[in-house]
Amino acid sequence: MFGLGWSEMILLGIVALIVIGPKDLPNMFRELGRMSGKARAMASEFQRAMESAADDSGVKDISKSIQAAANPAKFGTDKLKSAASSTFKPGTETAKLSQERQAAKDKISAATARAAQDRRDREMAAADAAELSEEPDMAMPSPTVEAAPQTGGGTSTSADKPLSPQPKTTPAGEA
């Protein structure tokens, strides 16, 4: 409040206890509480009086208009809304232009909707084709090579012989 820490407040309490005495200390704190309450009441009354004076002089109206002017989103939007919501008299050039523009807008909207649907269809077809090319065919099993079992007699085939590593040949000039 006055820049006093807890240690300074304890020191002041001890000094007050010694100077005033334990008998009169509670009465002094009671009086200090009453005086601080009166000071707060006077401050709030002064604040209310200043606010009512500001209301009477029109300061709030001015501050509202300044805030409205400072907010570009709200500045002039009432006139724009009223102009946009006004209806045109039938048969005037503006009404004809409005009908032509609405027809053009509908035509553009329909064309873009068709184009979007065509694009979605193409993308789905491409995704399906890619999916089919990545998946193995489940109907036909993939061929596997099995080695023939070795038998004790008879002729031996190349499938019966184990593969041995082939020696590497190097040209004569390299060592």
Side-chain angles (χ1 to χ4, degrees), residues 65-89:
S65 64
I66 289 173
Q67 287 177 351
N71 188 354
K74 291 185 178 180
F75 188 68
T77 57
D78 295 335
K79 292 292 182 183
L80 289 174
K81 287 179 183 176
S82 66
S85 66
S86 66
T87 57
F88 304 113
K89 296 177 184 174

Side-chain angles (χ1 to χ4, degrees), residues 4-173:
L4 298 176
W6 282 104
S7 59
E8 288 103 3
M9 292 177 81
I10 290 173
L11 180 66
L12 284 175
I14 292 172
V15 170
L17 182 65
I18 293 171
V19 172
I20 297 171
K23 189 176 181 184
D24 295 327
L25 194 60
N27 292 335
M28 187 199 68
F29 282 137
R30 193 174 303 119
E31 268 312 304
L32 281 174
R34 285 182 189 150
M35 281 194 279
S36 67
K38 286 180 183 179
R40 286 182 184 174
M42 288 173 38
S44 64
E45 183 181 339
F46 178 76
Q47 188 175 4
R48 279 192 299 259
M50 294 306 289
E51 286 177 0
S52 69
D55 290 343
D56 291 342
S57 68
V59 171
K60 281 194 175 182
D61 295 335
I62 292 171
S63 67
K64 284 182 183 177
S65 64
I66 289 173
Q67 287 177 351
N71 188 354
K74 291 185 178 180
F75 188 68
T77 57
D78 295 335
K79 292 292 182 183
L80 289 174
K81 287 179 183 176
S82 66
S85 66
S86 66
T87 57
F88 304 113
K89 296 177 184 174
T92 62
E93 289 298 318
T94 306
K96 290 177 188 175
L97 257 175
S98 177
Q99 291 171 354
E100 289 175 10
R101 288 180 179 160
Q102 184 63 36
K105 178 186 170 264
D106 293 341
K107 184 178 176 183
I108 291 171
S109 296
T112 54
R114 276 194 309 272
Q117 186 61 41
D118 292 344
R119 180 179 175 191
R120 274 187 244 136
D121 293 341
R122 283 193 312 268
E123 288 175 353
M124 290 299 289
D128 290 343
E131 197 173 281
L132 288 176
S133 67
E134 290 176 1
E135 291 181 0
D137 191 9
M138 296 296 180
M140 296 179 59
S142 61
T144 57
V145 178
E146 295 182 16
Q150 293 183 357
T151 59
T155 61
S156 125
T157 63
S158 65
D160 293 339
K161 294 180 184 176
L163 294 175
S164 61
Q166 297 292 328
K168 289 187 180 180
T169 58
T170 59

